[in-house]
Amino acid sequence: MRLLRILFWIGWVVWLFVAPVLLIQLSSSSFAAWTYEENTLFVTWSFLVWWTILFWAWPFAFRSSESLAILGKIARGLRNFPKRLLSSMRNNPLFFITWAVLLIGWQVASVIVEGRVERTLEHPLVPGWDYVFGNTLFRMSGDWLISQVDIFGLEIRFEQLAPYPAFGGDRTWPAVFLALGFHSFMTLSRLVMGLALGLLAGLSTGLVISYWPILRQTSWTPMNFLRMIPLLAAIPWMQVALGPNLRGITIFIAFGVWVVLVVATMNSVANVPDRYIESARTLGASRPRTYFKVIIPGAMPELRTALLLSAGLGWSLTIAAEFLGFPTGLGYMASIAVQETNTARLVIVAFVVAVYSLLTFLFLNEMFKKLVSWMPQRTGKTDISKVAGAAGAARAETIHEV
Amino acid sequence: MSKIVSFEDLWCVFEHRSGQLVNALQNVNFQVKSGEFVCVVGRSGHGKTTLLRVLAGLQPPTAGRVRLGDEVATGPGADRAMVFQQDTVFPWLHVRENIEFGLRAGKTPREDRERITQHWLAAVGLEDFADSWPRELSGGMRKRVALASAMAVGSDVVLMDEPFGSLDYFTRRNLHDVLLDLWRETQKTIFFVTHDIEEALILADRVILLAEGKLVDDIPVTLPRPRDEDVRASEKAVNITKVILAHLGITEEEATRA
Amino acid sequence: MTTTDVLDVRAKARRDKRKRQSLFILYLTLGIAIFLGVWQVLSVWFPLYFPSPLGAVRHFTDNLMTSEWTRRWFAHANACPALIGSGADIPPYCSGYVLHLLVTTRNILIGAALGTILGLAAGLGSLVFPKIAEVFTPVASFFGTAPIFIAAPFFVIWFGVDVALLTTVGLITFYTTLLMYFFSRRAAENIPVGIIESALTLGGTPRSIFRWVYMPGTVPEIAGGFRIALAGAWGLGVLVEVLGIQRGGGFLIAMWRFGVGLVEWPAAVVALITFFGVLAVIVDGILVVGIRFLTRWAESGRRLGL
């Protein structure tokens, strides 16, 4: 049983290292430009890597009994949702009022701007919600187009799902969601590839560097300099140097995440309090043992924040790279919106991206919580509003009494 | 002039995360004359700190009230300054500014403020450190700063929550002397929470014993001052110690064994 | 019995200290040397994409004051008509990199300053008026979790690429405001409860607690947050210029991206990016000095709010 578990872990790690490399090798040919073949290969292999990562990562993240419990929790949450919504509206009305004011204010602004600005553009500068969720959303069906894909000799004809408007087919509502789904899939594939590679490489490099003081001192300055380089501005360079393909964007995202994580790992290892290390050494633990059993767990709480931050960086890099030169993905959809000066389209894309990144954040947060489950729950957190409020209330009362 | 502090039918009930209710204070009733030095003694977790926090206004009681003279004490305020167990000196203010904090909040005019601050700096013996950062002081000196800040706001009642608990024996004894001098000079009412019976015997006019949130005994300590080793070894003092130990559920043998 | 001369021990302690210092310098130079060495090797392997470190520096110095490439680009775009004639009266943006780089630096710093003021006003203001937090937090956390780049196209559409000031400054301000709001809130939450309670029992009013507890006490974390925000602002500010603004460092990168001269473009882009990296390091260094001064009170480990 123990052997099996060890094998599982080795397999998991090896696969995560090998899979991206394989994918990169296979999906990027000598062509610099995006080709039909590459597109096909990309879709195929992205599908495979997604499937594999989910298959391997799922049991790791939530063991089967836990996943059942989580499903139960979600079901209960859904059932209680209307009740919770009502009670939270009563307890915290400002939250809902704020959002309502923002949404209605947008609609009002759209009417005002429409009246003031001359109609030289095809689309309104501030589109009302009717325009966003009516016309524009429907017209997004135009983005529905996937090349024919071979998966293990199995031919899948995506056109059967909904006709391609780009090839003269009818615009249909299913095509809208298929288009959004397809482009999200492309973006998420790139992100997952880059993040997986970057997280693993960053964590392992950072931990290796931290183990030897000489390595740490030597790499400190160059790594901190690399971190300060504005990587977002390097995207145009990346497109030519690394190629506007899966290999290029994966290396690029992975590099960005790697730099941030190596510095963060070095910092958080350095910040582990000396007394833990000293206590472990006096208890007779060897240096490697201290490192693995004391220092790395001790660095986890700080690392967790760094991991979440690097996921955010990964999102920004992916969207920006797609925006500047990929023919698929959510970033590409946003770039079309800018070309058409179509704010409504941008609103939809931005909303989708925001929801995805929120979900990524929640998912990663849940995963990393397991890493730091030893941590005491924070209870001594000041609720400033309450403290300041208490002071205010107390003052008011005393004044009232006098 | 100082006012009588009275606790009237004070109850404080907390709810644990498990939903269990805990009575931190149960029907506490007593009065403290102005200028009295009261030590609140009890085991940890038996309501000492809660009593002090209710008095300070940091914790609203579940039932009952605390009166200062005729007024009901509600929120925290400068009329009941408190010295905490933890290090609560503001690290970002110089020693002088720390002592001035309460005066500034109370909008004391500048000249008065400077005079008062200087007075209290001298009283706790920190004139030479007026412009130091708290991190440059030792733990005992930081406690002196906290003591001076609490004294300087000019409240009639000063609350102390095991203020010297984390200090070493010699520093603690030294601070006892400082505190007693200040008390004699100012005639303030002092509430002093401690679990150290020796400390209570050195300081108190009166010992309030709390057990499981109930006031179990109210012992006047009529030993002569100053209370040096001889006084504390006297029969009267030993008897008081025995009474306290008995109330806390510790027999004499246990105490000697420990 | 062995005897140790006190003077010997002290001399050894001094020697040890000197040894540590020289080792530190050794490792520092070694690190920089390795960094430059790797760069050099990369430039040999991929000469098309990597200039050598010296090549990048040379390109930068050659084009700083007057650049043939910028002139050509603007002449091509009919923005520098005088160029065709005598060469007199050339608009400053046609002459070299320096003005573009200064414009970008100015815009980013203005945006970061504005955003910091707004973010701190909202974050610290919410301590005195909790209602601000109730209104601001849900909105800010929604926009805060989204990758910030997605906000850039909005600014490009609304303010256009002609008025660079509004677009760049607007985006940076938006981004910095969000970050500084969260950092100031978190900084305030991390002030120990005991200290606030102590201030309350000393008669602290909300106003005096704000002035004497929250304002000084949150400085280390807010300063740390500002460094993080500014480090991100460089990339964002340059990128939004890449999207089509006709001035600034980002414009230069975009110009080279469209290939005004294919031989020099990698040198140009890498040089520009490195320049912004160096600039960010310098500005950060100045900040660190300032922050050290502001947080003299803190234990040395906490001074930079990390």
Side-chain angles (χ1 to χ4, degrees):
Chain A
M1 203 57 219
R2 191 182 161 76
L3 189 76
L4 223 88
R5 204 183 302 155
I6 292 172
L7 276 178
F8 172 86
W9 272 97
I10 293 173
W12 195 76
V13 171
V14 167
W15 174 248
L16 265 181
F17 269 117
V18 169
V21 176
L22 274 179
L23 269 164
I24 289 159
Q25 289 305 321
L26 285 167
S27 73
S28 66
S29 46
S30 50
F31 302 106
W34 189 266
T35 62
Y36 174 78
E37 283 82 4
E38 209 179 14
N39 196 348
T40 314
L41 271 171
F42 175 60
V43 173
T44 318
W45 285 97
S46 296
F47 179 78
L48 282 181
V49 81
W50 261 82
W51 178 79
T52 319
I53 285 178
L54 279 181
F55 181 78
W56 286 95
W58 191 252
F60 162 72
F62 312 103
R63 274 179 230 116
S64 58
S65 60
E66 281 176 41
S67 56
L68 277 180
I70 285 172
L71 283 180
K73 217 163 116 187
I74 293 173
R76 246 173 292 134
L78 281 178
R79 204 176 53 219
N80 291 336
F81 184 69
K83 218 196 292 172
R84 291 264 303 274
L85 189 71
L86 268 180
S87 75
S88 67
M89 275 175 115
R90 213 172 303 127
N91 292 337
N92 194 359
L94 264 180
F95 178 92
F96 296 92
I97 293 171
T98 310
W99 277 109
V101 166
L102 277 181
L103 296 180
I104 294 168
W106 177 273
Q107 187 76 30
V108 171
S110 80
V111 175
I112 294 172
V113 170
E114 196 70 358
R116 293 272 175 83
V117 179
E118 278 178 54
R119 281 300 296 268
T120 50
L121 301 166
E122 190 189 343
H123 305 285
L125 221 48
V126 181
W129 296 115
D130 51 327
Y131 190 83
V132 172
F133 289 110
N135 191 11
T136 312
L137 187 60
F138 187 62
R139 282 177 59 87
M140 276 188 147
S141 56
D143 292 342
W144 168 234
L145 180 69
I146 308 182
S147 322
Q148 200 169 302
V149 174
D150 279 338
I151 298 176
F152 293 132
L154 207 76
E155 237 175 58
I156 297 177
R157 294 173 62 80
F158 286 106
E159 203 173 352
Q160 285 166 351
L161 293 173
Y164 295 145
F167 290 174
D170 289 334
R171 286 179 187 279
T172 49
W173 274 108
V176 173
F177 296 103
L178 283 170
L180 276 174
F182 167 66
H183 288 283
S184 310
F185 175 81
M186 293 305 239
T187 304
L188 290 173
S189 307
R190 289 168 185 144
L191 177 77
V192 165
M193 296 277 291
L195 266 187
L197 203 66
L199 288 179
L200 274 165
L203 272 180
S204 40
T205 321
L207 291 176
V208 167
I209 287 178
S210 300
Y211 189 79
W212 286 285
I214 295 180
L215 269 183
R216 192 169 60 218
Q217 287 176 10
T218 311
S219 55
W220 184 264
T221 319
M223 285 315 295
N224 272 288
F225 176 68
L226 277 180
R227 200 193 53 159
M228 292 304 276
I229 284 183
L231 213 57
L232 275 174
I235 286 172
W237 178 81
M238 176 279 281
Q239 284 170 339
V240 185
L242 301 175
N245 49 29
L246 182 64
R247 180 184 65 178
I249 197 168
T250 305
I251 294 176
F252 188 63
I253 298 171
F255 177 74
V257 171
W258 177 77
V259 170
V260 170
L261 262 187
V262 169
V263 174
T265 312
M266 281 158 68
N267 273 335
S268 43
V269 167
N271 285 348
V272 174
D274 284 343
R275 57 178 189 277
Y276 297 142
I277 302 163
E278 282 160 7
S279 133
R281 293 312 297 277
T282 54
L283 288 172
S286 63
R287 215 174 104 76
R289 198 179 167 76
T290 311
Y291 194 66
F292 284 108
K293 293 285 171 185
V294 176
I295 298 182
I296 294 181
M300 275 306 161
E302 217 183 307
L303 261 182
R304 179 181 160 192
T305 328
L307 292 170
L308 290 176
L309 274 181
S310 57
L313 176 75
W315 263 108
S316 260
L317 289 177
T318 315
I319 298 289
E322 285 177 347
F323 189 95
L324 286 173
F326 273 85
T328 50
L330 292 169
Y332 160 76
M333 291 176 105
S335 76
I336 297 287
V338 171
Q339 279 166 30
E340 296 177 354
T341 55
N342 187 347
T343 319
R345 186 184 243 271
L346 199 55
V347 168
I348 294 172
V349 175
F351 178 74
V352 171
V353 170
V355 169
Y356 280 133
S357 61
L358 191 68
L359 288 178
T360 322
F361 187 80
L362 289 179
F363 179 75
L364 286 179
N365 202 17
E366 200 62 36
M367 293 247 309
F368 296 143
K369 242 185 216 162
K370 313 231 164 228
L371 292 179
V372 290
S373 51
W374 54 268
M375 256 175 83
Q377 300 284 325
R378 265 193 84 178
T379 46
K381 203 170 167 187
T382 336
D383 189 344
I384 327 140
S385 61
K386 269 188 195 151
V387 173
R395 284 280 131 186
E397 264 176 60
T398 39
I399 290 164
H400 192 69
E401 268 185 32
V402 170
Chain B
M1 198 51 234
S2 293
K3 295 161 185 164
I4 293 173
V5 180
S6 40
F7 297 81
E8 298 173 1
D9 311 324
L10 206 60
W11 283 80
C12 211
V13 182
F14 293 122
E15 192 178 344
H16 257 252
R17 261 212 305 212
S18 56
Q20 199 184 353
L21 291 176
V22 180
N23 296 330
L25 290 178
Q26 303 188 42
N27 201 19
V28 174
N29 270 298
F30 69 100
Q31 285 200 337
V32 176
K33 289 201 293 283
S34 113
E36 233 178 344
F37 200 124
V38 180
C39 275
V40 182
V41 179
R43 292 183 157 197
S44 56
H46 281 221
K48 302 189 302 285
T49 300
T50 311
L51 183 76
L52 213 63
R53 288 175 63 86
V54 170
L55 174 54
L58 295 171
Q59 170 76 50
T62 317
R65 71 197 133 247
V66 181
R67 277 180 193 282
L68 289 175
D70 298 330
E71 289 171 42
V72 176
T74 46
D79 51 347
R80 284 151 293 149
M82 182 153 162
V83 181
F84 289 77
Q85 184 178 13
Q86 323 93 295
D87 199 354
T88 54
V89 171
F90 307 122
W92 44 82
L93 299 181
H94 288 118
V95 168
R96 184 194 303 281
E97 292 169 326
N98 258 293
I99 298 175
E100 277 179 340
F101 175 84
L103 300 169
R104 274 188 210 272
K107 301 221 166 56
T108 313
R110 194 191 163 88
E111 309 86 65
D112 290 355
R113 202 167 69 208
E114 275 168 9
R115 188 175 42 77
I116 297 171
T117 308
Q118 202 56 44
H119 170 78
W120 288 108
L121 272 172
V124 294
L126 285 177
E127 295 127 306
D128 296 343
F129 296 91
D131 295 313
S132 306
W133 297 112
R135 74 177 148 85
E136 295 160 340
L137 307 181
S138 67
M141 283 152 98
R142 279 207 289 272
K143 274 291 170 242
R144 286 174 192 232
V145 177
L147 201 59
S149 315
M151 291 289 178
V153 288
S155 57
D156 302 326
V157 183
V158 175
L159 319 179
M160 303 191 149
D161 183 8
E162 300 187 27
F164 309 142
S166 56
L167 302 176
D168 69 285
Y169 182 77
F170 302 102
T171 317
R172 196 156 68 216
R173 289 301 300 270
N174 177 263
L175 281 171
H176 288 156
D177 294 342
V178 173
L179 177 60
L180 284 173
D181 284 345
L182 294 180
W183 173 61
R184 218 168 292 134
E185 188 191 324
T186 57
Q187 296 294 312
K188 288 175 196 271
T189 314
I190 294 183
F191 281 81
F192 193 102
V193 164
T194 179
H195 54 248
D196 184 344
I197 298 172
E198 191 197 353
E199 194 169 41
L201 284 181
I202 294 173
L203 297 171
D205 282 338
R206 188 175 161 192
V207 169
I208 300 287
L209 264 172
L210 285 182
E212 291 173 351
K214 286 180 218 146
L215 195 157
V216 289
D217 206 349
D218 184 347
I219 309 161
V221 184
T222 51
L223 303 172
R225 289 177 193 269
R227 294 179 179 157
D228 50 23
E229 309 300 315
D230 290 337
V231 174
R232 275 182 287 130
S234 69
E235 202 190 330
K236 215 169 170 184
V238 173
N239 280 336
I240 295 175
T241 313
K242 279 181 187 166
V243 171
I244 295 174
L245 285 176
H247 276 301
L248 297 180
I250 305 169
T251 58
E252 212 170 324
E253 296 93 80
E254 259 185 273
T256 40
R257 235 185 301 135
Chain C
M1 194 181 112
T2 55
T3 54
T4 315
D5 192 340
V6 178
L7 289 177
D8 277 355
V9 174
R10 296 181 67 140
K12 186 169 183 305
R14 225 173 286 136
R15 272 203 307 280
D16 284 352
K17 196 185 170 198
R18 264 205 300 279
K19 199 173 148 196
R20 269 202 307 277
Q21 280 169 347
S22 46
L23 267 181
F24 174 77
I25 293 168
L26 176 74
Y27 290 133
L28 190 79
T29 20
L30 191 66
I32 295 171
I34 290 175
F35 178 72
L36 293 177
V38 170
W39 187 350
Q40 185 72 42
V41 168
L42 281 174
S43 75
V44 173
W45 274 352
F46 310 103
L48 259 177
Y49 307 128
F50 274 103
S52 65
L54 263 180
V57 171
R58 207 176 303 127
H59 173 91
F60 190 73
T61 47
D62 285 352
N63 290 282
L64 189 62
M65 299 317 288
T66 53
S67 166
E68 190 56 35
W69 303 106
T70 11
R71 278 189 196 198
R72 254 189 234 175
W73 176 267
F74 277 111
H76 173 71
N78 277 332
C80 299
L83 203 76
I84 301 154
S86 60
D89 253 12
I90 297 174
Y93 290 107
C94 309
S95 57
Y97 284 3
V98 62
L99 248 122
H100 292 277
L101 299 178
L102 281 177
V103 163
T104 306
T105 311
R106 183 199 65 190
N107 288 355
I108 288 171
L109 290 181
I110 290 178
L114 271 180
T116 307
I117 293 170
L118 290 176
L120 287 187
L124 293 179
S126 69
L127 302 176
V128 185
F129 307 104
K131 285 274 184 267
I132 293 182
E134 279 178 50
V135 174
F136 213 80
T137 304
V139 182
S141 39
F142 179 76
F143 290 119
T145 45
I148 189 64
F149 174 78
I150 201 67
F154 281 101
F155 284 88
V156 171
I157 288 186
W158 282 338
F159 300 116
V161 289
D162 300 329
V163 196
L165 195 69
L166 269 182
T167 316
T168 318
V169 172
L171 180 67
I172 302 286
T173 307
F174 178 69
Y175 159 79
T176 323
T177 308
L178 283 181
L179 271 188
M180 293 316 286
Y181 175 73
F182 286 120
F183 276 117
S184 53
R185 290 280 301 179
R186 204 181 66 181
E189 274 170 17
N190 283 348
I191 288 184
V193 193
I195 286 207
I196 311 281
E197 286 184 347
S198 167
L200 285 172
T201 62
L202 290 175
T205 52
R207 217 181 114 179
S208 64
I209 290 179
F210 178 76
R211 169 66 188 83
W212 298 104
V213 178
Y214 280 128
M215 282 236 305
T218 50
V219 165
E221 279 193 59
I222 287 179
F226 182 66
R227 284 177 68 199
I228 292 174
L230 195 62
W234 293 109
L236 202 59
V238 177
L239 185 67
V240 77
E241 287 173 345
V242 174
L243 299 186
I245 286 163
Q246 291 301 305
R247 263 165 216 176
F251 156 75
L252 291 176
I253 291 176
M255 177 184 93
W256 283 102
R257 178 183 168 220
F258 294 119
V260 278
L262 275 173
V263 187
E264 269 197 75
W265 86 263
V269 177
V270 170
L272 285 167
I273 293 166
T274 314
F275 166 77
F276 280 109
V278 172
L279 190 65
V281 169
I282 292 171
V283 173
D284 193 58
I286 297 171
L287 274 182
V288 165
V289 173
I291 295 167
R292 281 238 170 86
F293 178 75
L294 278 180
T295 55
R296 303 188 297 293
W297 52 269
E299 304 284 340
S300 54
R302 267 201 75 213
R303 271 201 205 158
L304 294 175
L306 290 172

